[in-house]
Amino acid sequence: QVRLLQSGPGLVKPSETLSLICTVPNDSINDYSWNWIRQAPGKGLEWIAFFYSGGRVSYNPSYESRVSIAMDTSKNQFSLKMNSVTAADTAMYYCAGASIVYSSPLDFWGQGTMVIVSS
Amino acid sequence: DIQMTQSPSSLSASVGDTVTITCRASQGISSYLNWYQQKPGKPPQLLIYGAATLESGVPSRFSGSGAGTDFTLTITDLQLEDFATYYCQQTYTDFRTFGGGTTVDIK
């Protein structure tokens, strides 16, 4: 089972940028595709974005103008940045990985980072 | 965008019951449909992928079926540890949508 370690601040001020990192300590990040998902308190799962083999990136159109994801193969990490956050972005954020095959399910998940947007 | 609609949004059941959850896609997704289980305070866990293939380690009382637009997750002989929320997700398109979730609680 691939292990994922999430890091990043749990409190972000409105209008600022949310930045989260997912580290893959024991496997090569190049062997998988990577996703970000969030879950507002008491709500369902919402897919944000994924990074697929060869640099292909896909974003949820609801966030596309505010979100970017990237891979750092030298550190075996992938990241999420979401700018201009509001209270509506308060949620648990998960990173999740899948096999390199395009339609693969999300096999392994990070522990989650609860991000609160508040001044 | 493909919309995924789950029903019911919640249900109450007893240990030993059989429960069925449905997931409908707004357009055909072949068999690229996955089911996840989530318990409070935990990340989701993959149960079934490709509409009907059980993830390794998942008990055989879980089963999935369907193709195209209509899918079902069935849990037979419901156990205490199965009370949780279940989500479907399509991985047919780049925009990988989830269903709204179905919470199974104890009657």
Side-chain angles (χ1 to χ4, degrees):
Chain A
Q1 183 75 331
V2 178
R3 190 165 157 242
L4 304 182
L5 297 174
Q6 293 185 226
S7 58
L11 181 64
V12 181
K13 290 182 168 51
S15 80
E16 295 192 345
T17 296
L18 177 163
S19 294
L20 298 174
I21 288 174
C22 192
T23 301
V24 187
N26 300 320
D27 289 84
S28 172
I29 200 169
N30 290 315
D31 291 342
Y32 303 95
S33 63
W34 302 102
N35 295 253
W36 287 99
I37 297 100
R38 78 178 190 180
Q39 186 170 35
K43 303 295 184 183
L45 301 171
E46 191 172 28
W47 177 82
I48 299 172
F50 89 102
F51 192 104
Y52 186 62
S53 173
R56 177 173 170 183
V57 177
S58 176
Y59 295 106
N60 183 327
S62 299
Y63 305 107
E64 193 158 10
S65 62
R66 299 197 292 133
V67 163
S68 66
I69 61 173
M71 273 186 21
D72 184 338
T73 55
S74 67
K75 295 180 180 177
N76 238 26
Q77 294 176 338
F78 65 104
S79 62
L80 170 73
K81 290 186 187 298
M82 179 182 289
N83 59 35
S84 305
V85 297
T86 70
D89 295 311
T90 292
M92 181 72 81
Y93 287 77
Y94 294 104
C95 58
S99 154
I100 206 71
V101 175
Y102 175 78
S103 294
S104 291
L106 302 175
D107 284 307
F108 34 90
W109 295 66
Q111 79 276 20
T113 301
M114 183 65 207
V115 176
I116 296 171
V117 178
S118 175
S119 55
Chain B
D1 304 349
I2 298 177
Q3 312 301 317
M4 305 301 294
T5 304
Q6 276 183 247
S7 60
S9 57
S10 65
L11 64 91
S12 297
S14 301
V15 172
D17 283 354
T18 294
V19 302
T20 299
I21 299 167
T22 65
C23 180
R24 174 165 287 174
S26 59
Q27 62 190 74
I29 58 169
S30 185
S31 295
Y32 296 113
L33 188 283
N34 313 304
W35 290 98
Y36 302 87
Q37 177 193 67
Q38 187 179 32
K39 295 183 179 178
K42 300 289 188 183
Q45 282 191 299
L46 178 65
L47 289 177
I48 288 170
Y49 61 94
T53 302
L54 217 59
E55 172 73 340
S56 175
V58 173
S60 59
R61 61 181 180 272
F62 290 91
S63 63
S65 64
T69 60
D70 294 308
F71 302 86
T72 59
L73 171 69
T74 301
I75 313 170
T76 58
D77 189 23
L78 198 67
Q79 298 298 299
L80 270 177
E81 59 265 32
D82 302 335
F83 292 96
T85 301
Y86 295 86
Y87 294 93
C88 61
Q89 183 211 21
Q90 63 82 14
T91 48
Y92 183 68
T93 63
D94 279 7
F95 181 8
R96 282 142 193 262
T97 38
F98 287 95
T102 298
T103 299
V104 178
D105 61 24
I106 300 174
K107 187 183 289 183

